[in-house]
Amino acid sequence: MPAMARPRVHTDDLRDRLLDEAERIVGADGLAALSVRAVAKAAGTSTSAVYTLFGSKDDLTRGVLVRAFESFAAAQESATDADLAGLGVHYVGWALEHPRLYEIMFGEALAGLAPTAETEAAAARAIAPLRRGVAQAMEANVFRVAEVDTVVASLWSQVHGMAMLLLSGHFPAAADPVAAAMAVIDGWRA
């Protein structure tokens, strides 16, 4: 009689549940609160399940990072006012709504995480709507012709800086964030 295969104990559903819990922990309390033990306990499983499915805490953290980028990208892609100013509003809005996830998106190096093909692809998808918007603005002669990546970096720096200042409480109370952002956009107009 042939030996029966062992049933698979650690399923994709469990992997998703572990990621859900890891994302919830990071979203609520920041990356410092993330531990394999806390995720396993919240998901009602063992730490060995986390290690079997992810390999390491760093890989679990990368899973949260990818999810953060995917959530951000989905918000950018679903923006009904997907002009460049609208994308900026949605960018800052997502950051303010998900401050701890935003933190991990731009703090992976600080957390000691080496990028992977998966995290780089997720990050590229997240910025793709801005890249498309810049390219379209140039093609329509709304923006002066320049290196797309230079314009993307300029606009991205604006919204990222604004999000960071707002999150840290350092954005000047009397400053108009819309006027500040529009000045940067206007600087690229043809």
Side-chain angles (χ1 to χ4, degrees), residues 10-25:
H10 304 304
T11 64
D12 289 339
D13 287 342
L14 178 56
R15 184 180 196 286
D16 289 341
R17 195 165 76 240
L18 289 166
L19 271 175
D20 290 344
E21 293 301 335
E23 183 178 9
R24 184 190 58 72
I25 289 167

Side-chain angles (χ1 to χ4, degrees), residues 15 22 24 39 79-80 100 104 132 147 150 153:
R15 184 180 196 286
R24 184 190 58 72
V39 171
T80 55
R100 300 296 189 180
I104 190 176
R132 279 192 303 276
E147 172 56 47
T150 299

Side-chain angles (χ1 to χ4, degrees), residues 11 16 21-22 30 54 56 58 83 86-88 95-96 99 122 134 153 159 179:
T11 64
D16 289 341
E21 293 301 335
F54 292 95
S56 68
D58 282 353
D83 64 347
L87 286 174
L96 295 176
V134 167
V159 292

Side-chain angles (χ1 to χ4, degrees), residues 88-137:
V89 168
H90 286 280
Y91 183 108
V92 173
W94 191 93
L96 295 176
E97 189 175 332
H98 307 281
R100 300 296 189 180
L101 295 176
Y102 185 75
E103 201 173 76
I104 190 176
M105 287 167 55
F106 296 103
E108 66 186 285
L110 299 175
L113 290 180
T116 64
E118 185 181 24
T119 61
E120 288 176 344
R125 178 177 167 226
I127 203 65
L130 176 58
R131 290 188 109 267
R132 279 192 303 276
V134 167
Q136 290 168 353

Side-chain angles (χ1 to χ4, degrees), residues 1-189:
M1 177 189 243
M4 294 185 64
R6 288 181 68 188
R8 186 167 175 215
V9 194
H10 304 304
T11 64
D12 289 339
D13 287 342
L14 178 56
R15 184 180 196 286
D16 289 341
R17 195 165 76 240
L18 289 166
L19 271 175
D20 290 344
E21 293 301 335
E23 183 178 9
R24 184 190 58 72
I25 289 167
V26 172
D29 300 316
L31 187 57
L34 184 66
S35 73
V36 170
R37 185 178 313 278
V39 171
K41 182 178 179 184
T45 191
S46 66
T47 57
S48 66
V50 178
Y51 288 115
T52 298
L53 290 165
F54 292 95
S56 68
K57 179 184 173 194
D58 282 353
D59 288 333
L60 176 65
T61 304
R62 283 186 192 92
V64 174
L65 174 62
V66 167
R67 279 205 171 175
F69 276 123
E70 287 172 347
S71 173
F72 176 82
Q76 290 285 286
E77 291 164 354
S78 70
T80 55
D81 53 348
D83 64 347
L84 293 172
L87 286 174
V89 168
H90 286 280
Y91 183 108
V92 173
W94 191 93
L96 295 176
E97 189 175 332
H98 307 281
R100 300 296 189 180
L101 295 176
Y102 185 75
E103 201 173 76
I104 190 176
M105 287 167 55
F106 296 103
E108 66 186 285
L110 299 175
L113 290 180
T116 64
E118 185 181 24
T119 61
E120 288 176 344
R125 178 177 167 226
I127 203 65
L130 176 58
R131 290 188 109 267
R132 279 192 303 276
V134 167
Q136 290 168 353
M138 285 183 195
E139 289 167 11
N141 294 318
V142 173
F143 274 10
R144 56 190 160 93
V145 177
E147 172 56 47
V148 171
D149 285 340
T150 299
V151 179
V152 167
S154 172
L155 299 177
W156 188 3
S157 297
Q158 167 63 30
V159 292
H160 177 72
M162 184 177 295
M164 294 302 289
L165 289 171
L166 287 165
L167 286 169
S168 67
H170 294 296
F171 196 84
D176 179 350
V178 174
M182 290 307 296
V184 174
I185 291 172
D186 289 342
W188 289 106
R189 292 197 189 278

